[in-house]
Amino acid sequence: MSSIIQLLPDHVANQIAAGEVVQRPASVVKELLENAVDARATDIKLIIKDAGKSLVQVIDNGLGMSVTDARLCFERHATSKIRQAEDLFSLHTKGFRGEALASIAAIAHVEMKTKQDQQELGTHLVIEGSKFVSQEVAVLPKGTSFAVKNLFYNIPARRNFLKSDIVEFRHVVDEFQRVALAHPQIHFTFYHNGSEMYNLPPSNSRQRIVNFFAGKTNEKLVPIQEATEIVTIDGFVGKPEFAKKGRGEQFFFVNDRFIKSGYLHHAVMAAYDGILKEGAQPSYFIYLTVPPNTIDINIHPTKTEIKFDDEQALYAILRASIKHSLGQFNVAPVLDFDRDANLDTPYHYKDLDGATPTIQVDSNYNPFAEETPNPHYASAYRKPEVKSHWDGLYVGLKHDTAEVGTMTFENEEITSSLFNDSDIEQTVHKTYQIHKKYIVSPIKSGMVIVDQQRAHQRVLYEQFLTNMTVHQASSQQLLFPIHLFFSATEMELIADLQLSLVNTGFVFEETTEAYIVISGIPINSTESEVSIVLEQLLSDLQDGIPESSFSQNDTIAKSMAKSLAVKTGTYLTEKEQENLVNGLFACKDPNVSPFNKPTFITMRVEDLDKKFAV
C-alpha cells in the first residue's frame, strides 16, 4: 500500500504560512517596517499604491545585508534574531520567526536592494512566487529597499477577499502609527499614490503624538510616569473632557512593541471611574518597560498579545499611576464642598468696607401704656382697634356671595357632576409617558406602547435619508461658527463624507488639514451635539466608507439618527409625545427602528381582560 502522508513542496508550504502571516497589505507593512527598525535605521520611508495592493515599498538606511544574507533571508525559518530556544524568552527585537519574507515572496513579486556600509557594491534581487528570477550586483546607497508588488497575484481567491482601498488604507495607517509611535527617535515618511501623508521628524514621544493627531492633542495630554521593580511606565493619558465615543487613540507599548490588552485597558478605565461620561473612551499612549524574561510574546501569530508573569501587580501599578497623574494635574475631581456663587461678594462691593448699622431705641416706650408717649413711634406701635359690634361685619354677606369669588363656599350649589364638560375636555390626555421611556397612546382596540428612543431613531433616519436623496436639507445658521479638530485620518473620512453631510444640513465654512469650521447644522440638532454626532459617525465608519452611494447615505443616516434621537430617561411634554407618535406612524416603515428593533407593541382590551380574569 502506497504512503498517504507526503512532504509539501516549499512553495506550497510558504503559501500556507503566508495565510497566517500575510492577511492584507497592512501585514506586509508591519513586517517590513519592523525589519527596518531592527536594522537600526534612522530614516524609514513607506511608499504604497492602491492601499498596498499594487505596491508596498519600505526604504531604510539601516545596516543592510551581505550577498549571502540577501539570498538566505527569503528561506523559511532563516532569522538573525535568535540562535536557540532560550532566546525566545529574552527578545529585544521585533520579528524572530523567520517566516515573514519567505511568506511574502510566495504570494507577490518582490524586489530587494541592499548594501552594507563597508561594501562598495550592493545586491539586487528579484523574486516572483518564491522563485528567484535574478540576482545582480548594483551601485546602491547604504541600507535596504523592499518593494512588494501585486500582492496575492497567484492566489486570486485571497485577493478577492480584500476590502476596498479605503478600508485597506486605514489598516495600513494603523500599522504605520503603531511602529512610528513606538520609535519617535526615527524619521518616518509615508507616501500614498504619490502624495505625502506623513512626515515625522525625530522627536520625543509627546511631539510624535502631536505630529500624528494634530489639532488640540498637545493640550489634552496628561503625562504619567512610574518606576518600580516590576515595570517602568511612561506616556500620556487624555483629559476626561476630550474623551470620545470611539477607541481609536488608545495605544499600549511593551518594550517598544505595540500590544492589545483588555486587562490593561480595564485598569485604565478603572482609573477614570467617576470622571467619564457613560460610553466615553479616553485617549492614552502608554509605554511599559518590563524585563524581557517576564513576558511571553509568542502566544499570538501577530505578536499583539502578551502574557505577563504578574498581571495583578501590573494592573494595580498602572491604575494607581494614572489616578495619581489625573489628580496631580487637577484633572480628577477633588473632595470639596459645593460653593454657591450667589453668596460671593459682588464685584463693585468687594473692596468697600461695610457700613456699621445704627440702632435707635426709644427708652420711654411702654407697651402697656394707654397712649404712646412719643408721637414719632405712634404709628409703629399703635394697638389695633377692636370692633365692639363684631357681628356687623357679616351683615349682608348672604346676598353678596355670588359676587365675591373668594368666599363662594358660603353659597355653593350642589351639582350632579364633579366636573364640567369643558373641564373633562381639558384633562383628557391622548398620550402618557411611563418611566421616561415608553409612550402609551389609546386606540379603539386597546392601546399602543411606543419606545420613545427607537421611534425617534426611525423618524430621524427617514428624514436624513430623504434629505440626502433629494438634496433639500434645511439648516439653522450658527451665530458663532464651531471649530472642530480631528486627526489626519479622521479628516480624510470627513472629506469623503462632506457632500453627504451637507445634504443632511451641515454647512462647512472652512476645511483644513487639521480642523473644520461649521457655520450651519441640521434643524433637529443643537450646537452642543455637533461634535458628538461627528465623533459617533467617525466611530461607526472605522472600517471604511461603503462604496455605493446608497449604502454610504444609509450608514450616515443611521449614525446620525442614533446620536440625535431622544434618549431613554428624557421627559417629554404631552405635545412632544403626540408629535413623536404621529411622526412614527407617518414613516414608511414604522414597525422597526433603523437597527431592526421593534418600535412599538399593541395591547388589546381582550388582553387586559385576561389579566383581570379570576
Side-chain angles (χ1 to χ4, degrees):
M1 184 175 181
S2 61
S3 300
I4 299 177
I5 299 176
Q6 298 179 359
L7 290 174
L8 289 173
D10 287 342
H11 69 280
V12 177
N14 288 337
Q15 288 188 5
I16 295 174
E20 299 178 359
V21 179
V22 184
Q23 299 176 352
R24 50 180 13 120
S27 305
V28 178
V29 171
K30 175 181 182 295
E31 298 290 350
L32 297 184
L33 287 178
E34 290 181 347
N35 283 344
V37 172
D38 287 338
R40 304 176 193 172
T42 58
D43 190 304
I44 300 175
K45 294 182 177 65
L46 171 63
I47 304 170
I48 66 172
K49 291 183 179 179
D50 301 329
K53 297 176 182 177
S54 299
L55 172 67
V56 174
Q57 185 174 11
V58 173
I59 306 172
D60 68 70
N61 63 345
L63 298 177
M65 289 180 280
S66 65
V67 178
T68 305
D69 290 343
R71 186 69 179 254
L72 191 60
C73 71
F74 290 99
E75 299 295 331
R76 293 188 66 199
H77 307 304
T79 179
S80 62
K81 314 298 175 60
I82 61 175
R83 289 289 183 269
Q84 52 190 359
E86 287 74 12
D87 294 340
L88 291 173
F89 302 98
S90 184
L91 288 170
H92 299 275
T93 58
K94 306 294 182 186
F96 53 85
R97 292 183 302 180
E99 290 182 312
L101 296 181
S103 300
I104 294 171
I107 55 174
H109 297 160
V110 178
E111 183 178 2
M112 185 187 72
K113 300 176 182 179
T114 183
K115 173 185 172 296
Q116 292 180 324
D117 191 21
Q118 65 272 18
Q119 294 180 342
E120 295 183 0
L121 299 175
T123 304
H124 181 194
L125 275 173
V126 177
I127 303 175
E128 296 180 0
S130 295
K131 297 179 181 179
F132 284 87
V133 177
S134 65
Q135 178 176 347
E136 300 175 350
V137 178
V139 177
L140 302 170
K142 172 196 172 184
T144 303
S145 170
F146 273 99
V148 179
K149 305 174 183 178
N150 304 323
L151 194 65
F152 298 124
Y153 82 99
N154 53 354
I155 311 179
R158 291 292 305 276
R159 190 176 181 88
N160 293 335
F161 273 101
L162 294 179
K163 304 294 184 181
S164 65
D165 286 357
I166 297 176
V167 177
E168 297 300 338
F169 176 73
R170 175 68 184 175
H171 286 287
V172 171
V173 172
D174 288 342
E175 294 296 345
F176 179 74
Q177 282 181 349
R178 294 166 182 176
V179 177
L181 287 174
H183 302 277
Q185 73 280 3
I186 300 177
H187 184 194
F188 285 92
T189 50
F190 181 15
Y191 300 89
H192 181 218
N193 291 338
S195 301
E196 183 179 88
M197 307 303 301
Y198 293 98
N199 190 346
L200 309 172
S203 59
N204 55 29
S205 298
R206 189 184 194 108
Q207 189 60 44
R208 178 57 56 89
I209 295 170
V210 173
N211 289 339
F212 252 123
F213 298 99
K216 295 186 176 182
T217 304
N218 190 41
E219 66 182 64
K220 73 180 182 181
L221 296 179
V222 177
I224 60 172
Q225 191 170 14
E226 190 69 39
T228 66
E229 296 180 355
I230 299 175
V231 62
T232 299
I233 301 175
D234 290 290
F236 305 90
V237 293
K239 296 179 180 178
E241 61 264 30
F242 291 96
K244 298 182 178 181
K245 291 284 185 181
R247 297 177 60 174
E249 299 177 8
Q250 296 180 345
F251 295 88
F252 281 114
F253 300 96
V254 176
N255 296 352
D256 293 336
R257 179 193 297 272
F258 170 81
I259 69 160
K260 297 177 182 179
S261 175
Y263 190 69
L264 296 183
H265 174 75
H266 190 275
V268 176
M269 297 303 295
Y272 278 91
D273 188 26
I275 58 176
L276 279 181
K277 296 180 181 178
E278 184 179 357
Q281 293 285 336
S283 302
Y284 55 77
F285 307 85
I286 300 175
Y287 299 82
L288 308 175
T289 304
V290 299
N293 58 353
T294 63
I295 58 174
D296 183 3
I297 62 178
N298 201 28
I299 64 172
H300 193 273
T302 61
K303 307 297 179 290
T304 55
E305 295 181 11
I306 288 181
K307 178 65 177 176
F308 297 93
D309 280 356
D310 196 347
E311 288 186 336
Q312 294 183 349
L314 187 61
Y315 181 100
I317 295 171
L318 179 60
R319 177 176 174 271
S321 61
I322 295 175
K323 266 187 170 295
H324 174 72
S325 294
L326 293 177
Q328 183 179 7
F329 289 89
N330 297 323
V331 175
V334 297
L335 183 62
D336 196 3
F337 294 102
D338 293 334
R339 180 177 58 83
D340 189 354
N342 296 324
L343 301 179
D344 292 344
T345 304
Y347 176 77
H348 297 290
Y349 298 97
K350 67 175 184 176
D351 296 326
L352 299 178
D353 296 331
T356 303
T358 58
I359 302 175
Q360 294 181 355
V361 179
D362 183 8
S363 59
N364 297 322
Y365 171 66
N366 184 4
F368 301 103
E370 290 292 333
E371 296 180 357
T372 306
N374 192 345
H376 177 71
Y377 297 99
S379 61
Y381 299 102
R382 184 179 294 117
K383 296 185 344 182
E385 297 181 1
V386 180
K387 280 271 187 181
S388 57
H389 304 289
W390 58 268
D391 54 342
L393 293 171
Y394 302 98
V395 174
L397 182 63
K398 183 176 181 180
H399 302 287
D400 298 335
T401 52
E403 298 178 1
V404 182
T406 57
M407 301 182 68
T408 54
F409 58 88
E410 295 289 338
N411 192 27
E412 183 177 2
E413 296 182 1
I414 300 175
T415 61
S416 59
S417 175
L418 292 175
F419 304 99
N420 295 328
D421 293 340
S422 61
D423 294 333
I424 295 175
E425 292 177 1
Q426 294 177 357
T427 57
V428 169
H429 294 274
K430 295 182 179 179
T431 59
Y432 301 87
Q433 189 180 27
I434 300 177
H435 293 295
K436 298 180 182 179
K437 183 176 183 180
Y438 299 108
I439 299 174
V440 179
S441 179
I443 56 177
K444 290 183 179 180
S445 61
M447 61 180 175
V448 174
I449 304 175
V450 179
D451 187 309
Q452 64 183 34
Q453 182 172 351
R454 295 179 183 176
H456 200 205
Q457 287 177 353
R458 165 53 64 176
V459 173
L460 292 177
Y461 168 73
E462 294 199 4
Q463 287 179 1
F464 287 131
L465 209 55
T466 302
N467 292 339
M468 285 187 285
T469 303
V470 300
H471 307 288
Q472 294 180 352
S474 300
S475 301
Q476 50 180 336
Q477 297 300 310
L478 299 175
L479 184 60
F480 301 102
I482 304 174
H483 290 69
L484 297 176
F485 293 83
F486 297 97
S487 65
T489 53
E490 291 173 337
M491 286 300 303
E492 288 185 13
L493 284 176
I494 291 176
D496 294 333
L497 298 172
Q498 185 168 343
L499 179 60
S500 297
L501 292 175
V502 169
N503 291 332
T504 62
F506 284 99
V507 178
F508 290 81
E509 185 174 298
E510 184 181 359
T511 302
T512 68
E513 295 181 355
Y515 65 90
I516 58 175
V517 180
I518 294 178
S519 59
I521 57 177
I523 56 175
N524 37 17
S525 63
T526 61
E527 183 177 347
S528 60
E529 293 174 326
V530 174
S531 60
I532 299 175
V533 170
L534 293 180
E535 286 176 8
Q536 181 65 55
L537 179 59
L538 293 175
S539 177
D540 293 340
L541 293 173
Q542 286 298 317
D543 292 333
I545 304 173
E547 294 182 348
S548 66
S549 59
F550 174 78
S551 299
Q552 179 177 326
N553 292 341
D554 182 71
T555 303
I556 295 174
K558 285 181 179 179
S559 179
M560 293 183 62
K562 179 169 59 176
S563 301
L564 295 174
V566 61
K567 302 297 187 291
T568 297
T570 303
Y571 170 76
L572 300 179
T573 63
E574 183 183 353
K575 188 66 176 177
E576 291 172 335
Q577 297 171 29
E578 292 181 8
N579 290 339
L580 181 56
V581 174
N582 294 335
L584 173 64
F585 290 102
C587 292
K588 296 180 179 178
D589 187 7
N591 297 316
V592 294
S593 72
F595 308 98
N596 293 321
K597 301 287 183 65
T599 57
F600 69 91
I601 61 171
T602 57
M603 187 168 288
R604 300 176 302 169
V605 176
E606 292 82 356
D607 298 330
L608 294 175
D609 292 339
K610 293 178 181 178
K611 299 290 184 181
F612 289 97
V614 179

